[in-house]
Amino acid sequence: MTSRYCEVALPLPLRSAFTYLIPESLAETVVPGCRVVVPFRNRAMVGVVLALTSRAPATAKIKEIVEVLDPLSALSPRLIELGRWVADYYIAPIGEVFRAMLPPMIEVRREEEFVITQSGKEYCAELGSRGNCSEMEVTDLALLNLIEIEGKPVRCDRARKLPGGEAAASRLLRLGHLRIREVARRRKSRTQRIIAWNPSAPPLSGKDAHGPAAESTERIRRLLSEERGPLPIKQLLAETGAKRAQVERLVKHGVLEEWEEPLTAEEDLFEMDFTPPANVLNAEQERAVGEIRGWLDAGAFTTGLLYGVTGSGKTEVYLRAIERALSRGRTALVLVPEIALTLWIGRLCRAWFKDAGVAVLHSGLADIERAREWWRVRRGEARVVVGTRSAVFAPLENLGLIIVDEEQEPSYKQEETPRYNGRDTAIVRAKLESAVALLASATPSLESFHHARSGKYKLLELAARVENRPMAGVEVVDLRDEFLRTRKAGAISETLRGAIAQRLDAGTQVLLLINRRGYSWFALCRSCGIAAQCENCSISLTYHKQRNGLVCHYCGFSRPVPKTCAKCGSEHIYYVGQGSEQLEEKLREIFPEARIGRLDRDTARTKREFQKVLGAFAAGKLDLLVGTQMVAKGHDFQRVTLVGVVSTDTSLGLPDFRAAERTFELLTQVAGRAGRGELPGTVLVETYYPEHYAIQHAARQDYAAFFERELHFRRLMHYPPFTALASILIRDAKIENAIRWSRQVAAFLAPAEAGGVKVLGPAAAPLARLKREYRFQFLLKSPKRGELTRTLAACLAACAKAEIPERAVLVDVDPISLL
Ligand code: ADP
Ligand code: ZN
Ligand code: ZN
């Protein structure tokens, strides 16, 4: 018997898929994995077919599939299976999971149409037969006639453009003579109009020279020339709120330039004569590559952990492994933790594997570019993919190897629904594909190293830097000692100051890491001791000097610097704590001769700005670079001989059981930036807690010792990797709701204790209020993963039954951030 129905996942925050009827005409074309257009509550939606079935659903009213979108099904059966795993394991809405897996919808355009109803037809006939109509009735008739004459529905925007059409349309809708229906149409062409700022623009004239139009022009200029670069017109209008007419005017006057189809600038950059270094592998690298080749040749699922110190040449190992996978007729996927790294590794791969085809996938690409890359992969034109987190779903066929670079990075965890971890999903995908998953890091996550030691993963080690370059020596500067000795608490310690001066004299470079951006952490009132708070979040505002304002780093709220305390009116406001902006300023005072740059989210808002600063430092045009975590990872600077870490302790104070691990990792990674070239390097770490084990072990660069100590703590406290962890967050703008729902959830969770799931909470979340919402948190721990999953699913089902809104309950499985 043929399958007359199919199960479709729609991009909605709902936990179920929907059943549709397959019309006779599409019986051959609808297959699992294909994208289809279906009607859903008066809307046209694009979903993906998960399965075919011959069983009719219980409901009587079943709708039909309208159209099949692609000649080639978008998802392979294995990717459908992976999607189902993500939905089950992370208790995520299935539609949202598959939305994340599909390419951007650039082929489909949504349109609204007016459909004439039965009463509309009667009204139209009546008006038509009547001799004298009021003005209103004439416009009604004109609109209804348009639809009647065409004999089919008419696009809403077209109908509204008739004289008086806008008013007539709302009238007829209200009276039920018309109804709106949404349809999906295929786009005719895939080009789009790109708008750019003309740098040699003539001065503004006429309307655009003053008033609101001038302001909006200034916004356009800033966006196009400083923040983003050329943009598709739709995006430009959306982001600036400018009127289309104004943009057209500016184009006509030559202030803006336009062209069709975006430049694929990134690709062009890649192809510029780039010859990758021809390195001969050292013995350790050879051994690692040999092992991986063995796994690939065996063709069975294997997870390996490549633990290689910073500068040990892990990238070379990746390239050889990919080479082998390709030569065995399989494909390869490289995941990296951030967009900037896709550029570097993508370029290497393009140089090595030109013939196999290399695609780069990340969220920074315009939809049209991402869709193009995605389909290249789907059609088999690119057999190597380099990408960030979501590329774990890249539609590669016959996947043989997945590499996860810097596997411990928190950025692999998606912090919005579906809250999957790209690294863990990569391992599951490798299993489904009988492929090799290779995790790599200089500071593996505790979980991964634990699995490697217990034999679940295979451990490969690169213990030495290439060409036997020494690791940088790390020295801890005890700020308490310094303070007792000098009685000064300056921007940097005397020790660090002396070391910097020495490097500057020698003409080598210095990198300084500071954990906070902005000028000062808090604005405090001397009289009442209150810190200025965000209006939307329970968090203190950070002072930014250049912007002359107080800014919330969580929701973006900002306000001018207050003259008096909001609480008591006192004029004595002072600023506490040093951020990157202040450090840069102080360094300029201390070292007036030095060329100093700063890299943080304020100075590097765009990729271009980021690369400009980094490029200047790499090219030796800066002597000293100050920055936040951005400077800590991945970069290969050859002339850095000193790395300083200023105020290390801020990350240790976070209410997070991974705080020590993060601190250890950050210090080790930043220490890895020193002494990468011919010149040896030193690292100075300033701290008030020199005895903390994360700092001690980082100073000795002793991962193994840190691991033992931290593992002990995790075992004692019942944290991962010894227990499966999940959090449930209840949130609402009304505190009464948040409290009431938290109580209900507590009741739903009560039986779980019997099954061995420990429930902590409800308690106010560490960020008790965020973006105007009150937040309560539960933490669930269980030594048995299955119990935890069942408990969460049951809890959500109970929430749905109790009609607690879906968006109010946020489940995070294997959470990375507990704020
Ligand atoms: P990691 O990622 O392990 O920190 P990289 O892969 O970035 O290290 O390699 C560090 C540097 O060493 C790179 O400039 C790379 O070209 C170089 N390199 C890698 N392998 C060798 C080798 N066998 N001999 C010489 N240089 C090498
Ligand atoms: Zn006060
Ligand atoms: Zn805020």
Side-chain angles (χ1 to χ4, degrees), residues 524-530 564-573:
L524 268 181
C525 167
R526 262 190 213 283
S527 306
C528 71
I530 297 286
T564 56
C565 170
K567 188 103 181 172
C568 73
S570 149
E571 286 179 5
H572 302 284
I573 300 214

Side-chain angles (χ1 to χ4, degrees), residues 5 19 43 91 172 175 207 454 481 545 549-550 608 722 729 777:
Y5 304 95
T19 306
R43 298 190 57 191
I91 330 275
L172 291 168
L175 294 172
K207 225 178 172 172
S454 68
D481 270 3
K545 190 170 181 181
L550 301 178
R608 198 173 305 175
F722 300 102
L729 195 82
Q777 197 178 47

